[in-house]
Every structure is written in structure tokens, then in C-alpha cells.
Amino acid sequence: MPSDAILTQTLAALKDPSHLYRHQLNLDFGSRVEVYSKKELLAGQNFNPATVAEQLTVMVLSYDSFRSASKEGRKAFQANGALEPFRTALGPAQVTIDDADETALFQVINQLEPLVIVDESHHARSDLSKEMLRNFNPSFVLDLTATPKTESNIIAYVDALALKAEHMVKLPVVVYNKASQTEVITDAIDIRRVLEQAAAAELEAGGEYIRPIVLFQAQPRTSEDATSFEKLRAKLIDAGVPHDQIAIKTASIDELKSVDLLSDLCPIRFIITVNALKEGWDCPFAYVLASLANKTSQVDVEQILGRVLRQPHTKHHANGLLNTSYVLTSSNDFRSTIDNVVAGLNAAGFTARDYRVADQLPVDEAAQPTPPTPTASPTSDEVGVPSGEPGTAEEEFLEFDVEAVSERIGTDEADVVPTSVEDMVRVAEKAGDDYERKAEDALATASENSLPTDLEDKVPHYAISPAHSDQALALRLPRFYVETDDLFVSFEGESAVPLSPAGLTEGFSLNGRDSNVDLAHAAEQIVTVDVRTGDGDRPKAFIMNARQQQELRKHFDSLPMESRVRECRDMIFSFLDKKNYNAILSEDLRRYVHRVVENLDGAQLKVLETSPHAAAARIRAKIDGFLVEHRMAVFEAGLDDESIGVRSTYQLPERISLTEPNTSVGGSLYEAEASMNGEERDLIMKVAALDNVAWWHRVVERAPNAFCINGPMNHYPDFIVCTKGGKIVLVESKGEMLKNDDSRAKIRLGEKWANAAGGMYRYYMVFQDDVQPLEGAFTSSDFLSRLGRL
């Protein structure tokens, strides 16, 4: 964790058995979970080799706890008698940490080869942070960040539209530029009052409690001086804001400590801060950010904007105003203010499309109060600036018109809202409706595997060649559809939905299925892939020390046979259950695993004990074979009774994104195609050389918008080939090692697709000439001869 605030929140959540995070961990690991703070780890508090071997060990730590340059970090490097049992159990370290004792906490964690999850990982990019991560000797590093760096390997991404659809964020951010600081304050108070009225109406109608909060972001000329904030609070109180509704949160003052802002008993509606509300401070009731920066200063809202984005109760509210965030500023350079709003959105993981400029009023210098002329050089205690510093005696945010604010606040009881604020509210409502409509449209048109909108400009794209554009974009490839009773999904007036493997699983059961699984050769061969000095920093593979397997074997040897069998069953079931076999009841799966384990002899049981992942993979392959067999039978029955048919619906994308583009083979549909192995490249070069071939396209399995034959399995053919006569040929290239049941199932599916699609479509599985092809497949020469005659 990058800060104590986030660490405290995360530690509390993971230790709380009723919290969703801990609840899920308990489900996944059979409640064998222990969560430690650094203090508990240093003390060896229920932290020893036995507990680590028998449970999931979660350590919640901060960056500074292990950065060797910090005083706090040094504790993790020091000798620790409480951790002496680890030195005995783990033996000499393969990877040592400079200046760390053998019994040091850091060295112990290093030998456990942890999975490291780095929160707000964009803060862990310094040399010191990277050294810290290397010293953990991690088996895997997972970064969590809203702002991934350019070198990041992004494996999962959630964009703003998805968050909006799940009602997790208040978007768009509506930005107003006001003529004076007085207007910023009065309008912020009035908008907050309108929001509270909307929240009260929603509560009365059965909704959740919301108490909208304004964040006043004041910027003193010097550091966060307490005097300036106290004076601002005093002036707000003089203007009529109740004292108990105002709190100060700065680097030196924290009046929010131990305050439950979400409680309906909490009176706080205004918070005065600078940039203290960064990561770790989270209150979904914060709706309005009112920047009180000097008009001639850049309005720096970047660091604090993310604090107003979280949606209360993660639900859509009936009044659209409660689904929107608000920023009020008074700046001569409004463009720079917008730039900072966009930077703040980027820092929170959003983009420039997620804000709306509500109005940009002309700056009226006459509306600005004339700063009082100091009669003497003030002291720093009087105004919060160093003695003798030139300039006005007061910061501009202290110069607002108290009487004007008081008059506006005085209308509170009558619930009267000034016309100017009504106009602002109308603009906000329109902006919110417009944003939600665009978000819904974008989600409706997005494919399940499409690239997130926010990443579109982060990856290179390759367009269709202009020579083939018209013909390729007009093409619609057939896909399988199944008749359904769901009236909300239709195709040309018919009730039908795209076929999916899961939709063919009804009636499947493992009862009575063959439970003999050969584990004789399933032992895992484990290697580490590491970068070691002297190898030019290129990754190399090294045989891994078998210590972990030995420890697991010793653990099983210490148990009676009945316990060994039970633990093996539970372990395998846990691995298979995470495969998420939605169509198989957990109890059905558990009973099948029990039967498999009961059939194992002593030697195979030993393999299961020492190589559980490999054994689980063998059992999973067996179950997958049963599933495909069942789905194929249901699929063929559906084709026979015509409840399953083809619809020409798939359209090739106008452009594709590739991680390893290939431009060396001519005749391709796109400006570049995906990479290929040597056999695939040789085959497609011969295909492209045929006189009757117009173009070819390399299909990337599971890539966004990639074509697949959807049936008992989703089969992504290697190539789509189009002849000059308009025939479409799907080609799957195979080697000797892939003559298996999976390939046989793909041949059957490809033939069914081609027959159902009609005379303009073909499917071929192709083996090299020196390989005897499977039944229904072809050698390369035979295939090229047939293709050349189409």
C-alpha cells in the first residue's frame, strides 16, 4: 500500500469476517486464511512455518515498511529471533537480500516467493521501489492502478463506461467558471442545498440516505497554514453556515479523524482542505469541489478531483443530479482549469470525454472585492504568510463578500434557489442525461471482447487494405443461432440468440462417467524463468529447487491415509471449481473427484500429492472431453430439428490491434496481420501465391472482435481466405502433436458450419505433407490443390 490510510482501511476490511473481501477469501480457501500486519509479522504472532504451510497467508504492508532507505523499513532487515523457525524450515536462501539477516522478516518473505499485489502501483516506479519488489522474490506481481504506465502489461481493464453502468461513479463532472470567489462559495452552497433537497425526496420515496458535501479547496500562498483555514471557517460561520457543518482536513489539521461521514447523525456538509484528501480518503457523499484558488493562479484540482467521483450506495438515483459531480472555479485562465480537470480524471482512470463545461462566464474584474491595503507589515501569525513578503494581507479566498453569502444562505428556510443556480442545475441535468445516453449507446454497441474505449488510443491499429475494403466490409459471415423464448433478443423478427457452449450443457451430469484417470506421467516439471546477471538481461529458464514439493510430501507423509486422501480430494476439487464449470453442480463435481481419487493406486496417489496442479489438469481434460461430447450431441440434435441454424451476422472489423504485427506476407486483408509460427507462415505464403485468392486474414484467438465458429466449443480458425470468386474458406493448421480429440471435435464442428452455411463456404483442417492427417482433414498439398480449383 502507498499510504497508511489505505493500509489501515485494507487491513481492517481483510480482517473483518463480515466484509465481502474476507468472505470471498474464506470461500476460496475453506476459511484457512490469516491476515497479518507488519507488527504481527515482526512479533511472529501466529506466524510460523506450520501456519504458512496450512493456510493462505495475507500480509498487508506499506511501501515504506520495506524500502531500505527509511528508518521504518530497516526493521524488516534486522535479525529476528521470533522468526528463527523459518530459517530452520526453509534452509539457506537461494536469493539473498543485501544487508538482511537470515532471520529478517524481509528475507523470510523472500524465501516464501509471494504473490505481490501493488496498490496504486504508479507510485512504485522509483529505483528504490523496484529494488524493493525484486527483493520480495515474487512469484508474480499484480499492479493495481487507474493510470498504468507505458511499460505496463495490462491483463485486465475496466473503463469509465463499465463503472458508470455499474453505478460506481458520479459522471460526468460538470465544470462551472464563476466571475468571483463570492459566486463560487454562494453557488456551491446553493447547489449543495438543491442536491440535499433531491436526496431528501429520494429518501422519502424509499431510497438510501445521502447528505451531499462540498469540498472547499483553499490554496494559501505558503504551506497549509492553520490560521488561514480557521479564518475561512470563521467567515463562513459569519455568513450563516452552522459551525458544526464545517470541518478542516489539511496536512496539519484533521477534524475528520474518527468521524463517520456516512452516518445520518453526522452534521458535516462542508470540508475545507488543500490537497490532503488524496488516496485513502473516500466519501461518496462528496459532490461539489469548489476551488478557491487565486484568480491569477492555475487551479490545481488534479489531486483532489477523484474524491468526488464515487457514487453513493453504488446505485442509480432517480434524480439525475445525484449521479453527477460538480466543480466550481473562478479563474482568468479557464483553459488551464479544464486541463487540470482532465488531468484529475486521467489520474482517476478516466478521460476528457467524462466532463462537461456547463458555462464559462466572462470574468468581471469589477465583481472582485478590492483587497485591503495593509497599514503595516503583517507577521506570519496574523495572515499566514512570511513576515515582510510583498502582496496583500489576505489570501483571495478570504476576501469573499460575507454579506452576499449571508443573503443567499438566508433563503434556506424558504427553499428558494436563485435563477442563476436554477440555470446551472438545468445545464447539469442536460449534461448528465447526455452522458448517460452516450454511455448506454457505447455499451450497447460494444462487443463482449472489444477493446475498452479508453485504451483505443493506447495501442496501434491496422486498417483493412483499401483494395479489399468495400467487399470485406460488406461481407457477413454465418454464425450459429439458437431459437429462444427470450422475446427481448430477436433476429429479423425471429426469437434467436447467438449459440454459446454453455447453452448446450443443459442435462449434463458426471454421474456414471468414467472416473479412471491415468496420472502415471502427470508429475510436474517445474522451472523458474529469471533474469540473472551475465546473460545480457535476457530471461533464462532454470530448474527450480524441489523444496516446496518436498515440504508438501513431508506434510502428506505425516498424515494417516484417510486424511491424505481427503486433503487430495479437497485440493483437486478446489482447483477444478475455480475453472468455473457453471453448468456442473458443485456437488456433482465433488462426487466425481471423490470417485477419481478412490480409483488411484499408491503410486498415482503419490503423484497427486506432489503434483496436484498437473493431476487437476488431467482430470479437467477428462471432464472437458465429456462436456464437448455432450454439447456436440445436443448441437447435432438442434441442427436436425432446426432449433439451431445459421445467421449471416458477423462483420469483419474496419481495423484491428496487434501486439506483434506481421507485414512480410503479401495478399493480407489488413495492413498488418498477427504473428504466425513457421508452419503457419509457410502455408499462408503458398495460399497467397494462388491466382484465385483475393485476400487472407490471420484470426487471433479470443482477440477483440475475432471471428469464431460458435458451437459446442468456440473454435477460432487460424485463417479466413477469400477467393476472387467470393468463396470464403476457413483454414486450421495443425502439427503432428495436435492429432487429438480436440482436433477431431473441431473437424466435426467445421464441417457442420460449412454445410449449414451453404455452397459459398468451406472448412479445412490442414496437416503438413509428412503427417498422416486425421479423418476429415487434409495434407497441405491436397488442400492447396483443392483451394486452387475453387
Side-chain angles (χ1 to χ4, degrees), residues 698-720:
R698 171 75 159 108
V699 177
V700 182
E701 186 170 356
R702 293 183 178 83
N705 298 319
F707 173 77
C708 72
I709 305 177
N710 58 321
M713 65 179 72
N714 285 331
H715 172 24
Y716 294 81
D718 290 325
F719 300 102
I720 300 174

Side-chain angles (χ1 to χ4, degrees), residues 441-481:
D441 291 344
L443 287 172
T445 57
S447 128
E448 179 182 351
N449 293 320
S450 62
L451 193 69
T453 307
D454 293 343
L455 292 184
E456 282 286 351
D457 60 348
K458 302 290 193 302
V459 298
H461 291 89
Y462 303 91
I464 290 180
S465 169
H468 309 303
S469 178
D470 291 344
Q471 186 259 353
L473 291 178
L475 181 65
R476 297 294 182 272
L477 295 181
R479 301 187 70 214
F480 286 111
Y481 276 69

Side-chain angles (χ1 to χ4, degrees), residues 108-123:
V108 168
I109 298 176
N110 167 294
Q111 288 183 261
L112 295 175
E113 300 173 6
L115 186 156
V116 178
I117 302 173
V118 188
D119 195 23
E120 304 288 353
S121 61
H122 52 280
H123 292 312

Side-chain angles (χ1 to χ4, degrees), residues 5 13 34 61 84 93 128-129 131 145 151 160 234 252 270 283 286 420 499 540 566 620 690 693 713 744:
E34 190 66 49
L61 310 166
E84 175 67 27
L128 199 59
S129 294
E131 180 188 11
T145 178
E151 72 272 18
S252 57
F270 304 93
C283 176
S420 61
L499 184 64
K540 303 289 183 182
R566 184 177 61 251
R620 179 182 297 129
L690 295 174
V693 170
M713 65 179 72
R744 292 184 183 92

Side-chain angles (χ1 to χ4, degrees), residues 569-707:
R569 286 195 311 236
D570 292 345
M571 194 182 306
I572 293 297
F573 173 75
S574 177
F575 291 153
L576 293 177
D577 202 36
K578 288 178 175 56
K579 171 76 174 178
N580 196 21
Y581 287 116
N582 291 325
I584 305 177
L585 295 175
S586 286
E587 281 309 306
D588 189 15
L589 181 61
R590 188 184 295 276
R591 283 193 296 269
Y592 180 76
V593 171
H594 284 199
R595 287 193 284 121
V596 170
V597 175
E598 287 170 359
N599 288 340
L600 300 179
D601 59 26
Q604 289 183 320
L605 189 61
K606 203 65 143 178
V607 172
L608 178 58
E609 292 172 355
T610 56
S611 304
H613 287 279
R618 288 287 180 92
I619 298 171
R620 179 182 297 129
K622 187 98 171 178
I623 295 174
D624 287 344
F626 295 148
L627 275 170
V628 171
E629 179 185 317
H630 174 87
R631 288 167 175 166
M632 185 65 77
V634 176
F635 173 65
E636 291 177 344
L639 290 175
D640 187 53
D641 64 23
E642 298 184 340
S643 61
I644 295 175
V646 293
R647 307 281 191 273
S648 297
T649 59
Y650 176 83
Q651 181 178 7
L652 289 160
E654 293 186 30
R655 56 181 191 158
I656 56 176
S657 59
L658 302 170
T659 54
E660 297 181 55
N662 183 306
T663 58
S664 63
V665 182
S668 63
L669 176 61
Y670 291 89
E671 296 169 333
E673 295 285 350
S675 61
M676 297 161 272
N677 63 35
E679 295 174 4
E680 293 166 343
R681 189 174 183 277
D682 289 344
L683 177 63
I684 203 62
M685 286 186 71
K686 294 173 182 176
V687 168
L690 295 174
D691 291 338
N692 67 328
V693 170
W695 52 260
W696 62 271
H697 166 52
R698 171 75 159 108
V699 177
V700 182
E701 186 170 356
R702 293 183 178 83
N705 298 319
F707 173 77

Side-chain angles (χ1 to χ4, degrees), residues 40-45 47-49 80-88 102-106 108:
E40 292 166 337
L41 292 169
L42 288 170
Q45 186 174 327
F47 175 58
N48 55 64
N80 190 328
L83 304 181
E84 175 67 27
F86 282 100
R87 185 172 68 86
T88 304
E102 287 181 294
T103 60
L105 175 59
F106 208 169
V108 168

Side-chain angles (χ1 to χ4, degrees), residues 56-375:
L56 172 69
T57 298
V58 181
M59 310 174 187
V60 185
L61 310 166
S62 69
Y63 294 1
D64 288 338
S65 291
F66 291 87
R67 283 172 173 158
S68 58
S70 69
K71 180 180 178 181
E72 177 64 24
R74 295 311 307 170
K75 294 180 182 178
F77 289 76
Q78 297 167 358
N80 190 328
L83 304 181
E84 175 67 27
F86 282 100
R87 185 172 68 86
T88 304
L90 301 178
Q94 287 185 297
V95 180
T96 58
I97 302 173
D98 293 342
D99 302 326
D101 186 82
E102 287 181 294
T103 60
L105 175 59
F106 208 169
Q107 188 64 64
V108 168
I109 298 176
N110 167 294
Q111 288 183 261
L112 295 175
E113 300 173 6
L115 186 156
V116 178
I117 302 173
V118 188
D119 195 23
E120 304 288 353
S121 61
H122 52 280
H123 292 312
R125 286 294 182 267
S126 67
D127 291 341
L128 199 59
S129 294
K130 291 178 180 178
E131 180 188 11
M132 172 190 69
L133 292 175
R134 283 193 296 270
N135 282 338
F136 275 126
N137 189 26
S139 58
F140 188 83
V141 178
L142 176 64
D143 287 357
L144 302 180
T145 178
T147 52
K149 301 300 182 181
T150 54
E151 72 272 18
S152 296
N153 172 31
I154 298 174
I155 59 175
Y157 187 88
V158 181
D159 67 4
L161 298 181
L163 292 174
K164 182 69 176 178
E166 294 294 333
H167 315 305
M168 296 179 70
V169 288
K170 301 192 288 275
L171 289 176
V173 176
V174 184
V175 187
Y176 304 86
N177 195 36
K178 311 309 295 182
S180 66
Q181 301 289 6
T182 298
E183 286 193 23
V184 170
I185 293 174
T186 54
D187 287 349
I189 292 171
D190 281 330
I191 284 181
R192 197 214 67 80
R193 180 148 45 94
V194 171
L195 293 173
E196 184 151 9
Q197 291 169 3
E202 183 153 313
L203 180 64
E204 189 174 341
E208 304 279 356
Y209 172 76
I210 298 174
R211 185 185 66 265
I213 292 174
V214 174
L215 306 181
F216 283 123
Q217 185 189 22
Q219 294 184 343
R221 289 192 179 86
T222 59
S223 61
E224 298 184 11
D225 182 79
T227 307
S228 299
F229 301 112
E230 292 290 356
K231 288 183 178 180
L232 175 57
R233 171 157 54 191
K235 295 193 73 170
L236 288 171
I237 293 172
D238 289 344
V241 178
H243 182 279
D244 64 350
Q245 293 186 8
I246 307 172
I248 298 175
K249 175 71 167 75
T250 68
S252 57
I253 305 174
D254 186 3
E255 295 179 353
L256 299 180
K257 194 173 184 179
S258 303
V259 173
D260 183 5
L261 289 171
L262 303 184
S263 170
D264 57 0
L265 300 177
C266 178
I268 293 174
R269 288 166 169 79
F270 304 93
I271 297 173
I272 300 171
T273 187
V274 181
N275 276 331
L277 303 175
K278 296 182 182 179
E279 296 101 338
W281 187 89
D282 203 1
C283 176
F285 286 177
Y287 268 86
V288 183
L289 171 57
S291 176
L292 303 181
N294 297 339
K295 291 178 66 62
T296 55
S297 302
Q298 275 204 355
V299 180
D300 183 13
V301 300
E302 176 180 345
Q303 292 295 322
I304 197 174
L305 181 63
R307 301 308 98 200
V308 301
L309 294 181
R310 184 177 158 200
Q311 179 87 324
H313 309 296
T314 58
K315 63 182 293 185
H316 185 271
H317 302 293
N319 191 317
L321 295 175
L322 296 174
N323 303 318
T324 304
S325 304
Y326 306 85
V327 173
L328 280 69
T329 73
S330 174
S331 173
N332 289 335
D333 186 1
F334 191 52
R335 188 68 258 163
S336 70
T337 300
I338 293 300
D339 289 343
N340 275 290
V341 168
V342 173
L345 284 166
N346 291 159
F350 305 107
T351 66
R353 66 156 188 232
D354 300 316
Y355 80 92
R356 299 289 186 275
V357 175
D359 57 355
Q360 183 176 350
L361 301 179
V363 176
D364 183 3
E365 296 296 340
Q368 293 283 68
T370 304
T373 304
T375 55

